[in-house]
């Protein structure tokens, strides 16, 4: 991997349309940093994650943002890497989270579990169903396929994946979560799932321009990391 410069990171940021409407004010409103961190992680280049964190932290401090915004930045990156691990593999997510942890000031680290550890599994199944329906409205073919190949896979995907892992929306929004899934799949060269989640991002509120930007950011990071795709990266359906 070639060196990561501020110019390269600013280029990645510029690819995403301004006034993105992701639900956060100021510097954090452009989700390029979430997309890029996941792309570096899924490309097996965890060393890239601290560069993104340091770059964003400097921007927050220069803008006069307080400790709450800085903590939110750190939490969003941790959460994005955690969520991406179900797709890219947890060894990659762990390595990236370790690198991020090493770069994070003590006052911005979490010391307690962010998810409920006492919520009944049935509630996670309900949360998973809600997010599943948001990503795949009226779509049963994917679930039926998962159930056919292995019923446990369908249950795990909806309850644990979409409920326990993806369904935690207190840190990342539905749209930001969707972007982590797109980024991890593109970096991982899985065209079927890329197509599903490009469409899913539009279902939860992204414009075609924004989804194209997410795709472009991940491809730029992947090329920077030396990723070679065996399959063409699917385009979005405008």
């Amino acid at each position: 991997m070639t060196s990561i410069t501020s110019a390269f990171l600013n280029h990645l940021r510029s690819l995403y349309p301004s006034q993105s409407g992701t639900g956060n004010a100021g510097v954090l409103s452009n989700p390029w940093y979430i997309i890029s961190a996941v792309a570096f992680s899924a490309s097996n280049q965890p060393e890239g994650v601290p560069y993104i964190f340091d770059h964003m932290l400097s921007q927050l401090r220069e803008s006069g943002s307080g400790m709450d915004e800085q903590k939110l930045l750190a939490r969003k990156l941790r959460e994005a890497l955690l969520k991406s691990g179900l797709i890219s593999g947890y060894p990659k997510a762990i390595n990236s989270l370790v690198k991020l942890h090493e770069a994070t000031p003590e006052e911005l680290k979490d010391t307690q579990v962010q998810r409920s550890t006492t919520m009944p599994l049935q509630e996670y199944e309900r949360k998973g169903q809600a997010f599943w329906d948001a990503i795949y409205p009226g779509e049963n073919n994917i679930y039926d396929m998962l159930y056919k190949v292995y019923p446990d896979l369908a249950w795990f995907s909806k309850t644990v994946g979409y409920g326990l892992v993806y369904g935690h929306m207190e840190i990342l929004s539905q749209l930001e979560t969707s972007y982590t899934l797109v980024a991890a799949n593109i970096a991982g060269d899985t065209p079927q799932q890329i197509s599903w989640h490009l469409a899913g991002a539009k279902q939860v509120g992204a414009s075609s321009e924004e989804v194209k930007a997410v795709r472009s950011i991940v491809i730029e990071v992947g090329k920077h990391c030396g990723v070679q795709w065996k399959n063409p990266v699917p385009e979005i359906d405008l």
Side-chain angles (χ1 to χ4, degrees):
M1 181 177 69
T2 56
S3 61
I4 300 171
T5 64
S6 293
F8 178 64
L9 298 180
N10 285 329
H11 168 63
L12 295 177
R13 181 182 61 184
S14 73
L15 293 175
Y16 195 87
S18 60
Q19 305 299 320
S20 58
T22 56
N24 302 299
V27 175
L28 299 182
S29 65
N30 184 331
W32 77 273
Y33 62 98
I34 295 170
I35 301 157
S36 300
V38 170
F40 274 112
S41 180
S43 298
N44 202 25
Q45 294 291 348
E47 299 83 2
V49 174
Y51 282 91
I52 295 170
F53 174 70
D54 289 341
H55 185 81
M56 287 293 294
L57 190 59
S58 294
Q59 287 194 331
L60 282 174
R61 289 171 173 169
E62 289 172 5
S63 71
S65 296
M67 192 61 64
D68 288 346
E69 288 81 7
Q70 295 175 37
K71 286 182 178 179
L72 183 59
L73 165 66
R75 281 182 173 161
K76 281 183 175 293
L77 288 176
R78 286 193 291 267
E79 184 70 8
L81 294 170
L82 174 67
K83 287 183 173 181
S84 72
L86 273 182
I87 293 173
S88 66
Y90 272 106
K92 292 180 180 179
I94 289 169
N95 292 341
S96 296
L97 282 162
V98 168
K99 291 295 184 183
L100 177 60
H101 179 80
E102 292 171 349
T104 304
E106 288 298 321
E107 64 270 19
L108 302 184
K109 294 176 180 177
D110 281 318
T111 58
Q112 295 182 346
V113 176
Q114 298 299 298
R115 286 161 172 76
S116 170
T117 59
T118 59
M119 186 182 296
L121 202 56
Q122 290 83 353
E123 182 62 17
Y124 281 118
E125 186 172 8
R126 185 196 65 77
K127 288 167 66 74
Q129 184 69 60
F131 190 38
W132 184 282
D133 290 342
I135 293 286
Y136 313 110
E139 174 62 73
N140 293 318
N141 291 339
I142 295 173
Y143 183 83
D144 291 345
M145 180 270 291
L146 297 178
Y147 196 91
K148 182 177 181 180
V149 299
Y150 191 23
D152 291 49
L153 175 61
W155 174 86
F156 176 87
S157 296
K158 187 171 289 187
T159 304
V160 179
Y162 280 76
L164 178 57
V165 181
Y166 305 150
H168 181 71
M169 300 297 177
E170 283 75 7
I171 299 172
L172 295 182
S173 67
Q174 278 194 344
L175 182 56
E176 290 167 332
T177 297
S178 175
Y179 286 169
T180 69
L181 310 184
V182 172
N185 276 299
I186 291 178
D189 193 16
T190 52
Q192 179 62 76
Q193 287 74 19
I194 293 169
S195 295
W196 291 347
H197 288 289
L198 288 174
K202 291 184 68 175
Q203 291 292 343
V204 294
S207 67
S208 294
E209 183 183 14
E210 288 168 339
V211 179
K212 287 176 64 177
V214 174
R215 179 183 180 277
S216 297
I217 290 170
V218 183
I219 290 174
E220 290 280 327
V221 172
K223 288 179 179 177
H224 192 86
C225 295
V227 173
Q228 295 183 336
W229 288 271
K230 295 180 181 178
N231 308 284
V233 179
E235 301 278 356
I236 70 165
D237 183 3
L238 298 176

